[in-house]
Amino acid sequence: MQSQQDSEFIERVIHVNRVAKVVKGGRRFSFNAIVAVGDGKGRVGVGLGKANEVSDAIRKAGEAAKKGMFPVPLKKTTIPHQVTGKFGAGVVILKPATPGTGVIAGGTVRAVLEAAGIKDVLTKSLGSGNPHNVVKATVAGLQSLRQASDVAATRGKTVSELLGIRPKSAAGTNGAR
């Protein structure tokens, strides 16, 4: 039963880091791992796991990512609008792209976007190249995305009013004069 549930998620290991602690007898090594988990349909989570073995760190990170999953608004295969995510010194710009473009992103950002199910997007990572900050900046950007229908509801308007689209019947009468 557990393996069937795991198979529905896309799990991407983003980074594994070895940490050395100097003790009396020498060095003690431990590992931390960053993992992105998503369903490929607009839900994604990122987790950090720490352990003395690489496999344990990856497993813990995957569990943490599943607990922290959040929905990402999609517009067909891309994102609804351009957004900039910031965390620490990491800055990630995410731009919607036309179908067929693919995921134009570095490895760290790519793993998160592909796990979320985003197929067409343009990205640029600015500032820090530290995988921890880049991943958190990507997540911040994805969490700040909003659908046009949500923004319209918040403002008490329709989507066409929000986007400045006039109904065809009104456009026809104004154009006749």
Side-chain angles (χ1 to χ4, degrees):
M1 189 75 180
Q2 183 71 4
S3 62
Q4 188 180 19
Q5 185 186 12
D6 291 342
S7 65
E8 69 186 61
F9 291 118
I10 301 165
E11 193 167 307
R12 297 278 164 93
V13 178
I14 296 169
H15 187 72
V16 177
N17 188 34
R18 186 181 77 171
V19 180
K21 177 183 178 184
V22 179
V23 293
K24 188 176 176 183
R27 291 185 185 92
R28 292 256 168 93
F29 294 107
S30 64
F31 300 89
N32 66 39
I34 309 169
V35 174
V37 174
D39 63 358
K41 299 173 195 154
R43 283 177 42 84
V44 70
V46 175
L48 175 66
K50 298 178 181 183
N52 291 330
E53 299 291 329
V54 175
S55 58
D56 290 340
I58 291 171
R59 181 185 50 78
K60 284 182 178 180
E63 290 171 4
K66 286 176 190 167
K67 286 180 186 172
M69 288 181 81
F70 61 93
V72 177
L74 298 175
K75 186 177 178 185
K76 294 183 183 172
T77 60
T78 188
I79 55 177
H81 58 88
Q82 181 175 333
V83 69
T84 302
K86 296 178 184 175
F87 184 88
V91 179
V92 175
I93 300 169
L94 305 168
K95 289 183 181 181
T98 57
T101 303
V103 178
I104 310 297
T108 308
V109 179
R110 175 183 295 271
V112 178
L113 297 178
E114 286 179 348
I118 298 170
K119 306 244 185 312
D120 301 302
V121 68
L122 301 167
T123 69
K124 182 64 184 166
S125 177
L126 306 168
S128 174
N130 180 342
H132 293 269
N133 286 342
V134 173
V135 164
K136 289 177 183 173
T138 305
V139 168
L142 291 175
Q143 286 179 331
S144 66
L145 286 171
R146 295 175 66 192
Q147 291 281 25
S149 56
D150 297 338
V151 176
T154 304
R155 296 182 186 179
K157 295 185 175 189
T158 64
V159 175
S160 56
E161 287 175 335
L162 183 73
L163 299 175
I165 301 169
R166 294 188 308 189
K168 290 186 179 182
S169 60
T173 57
N174 290 341
R177 292 184 197 197

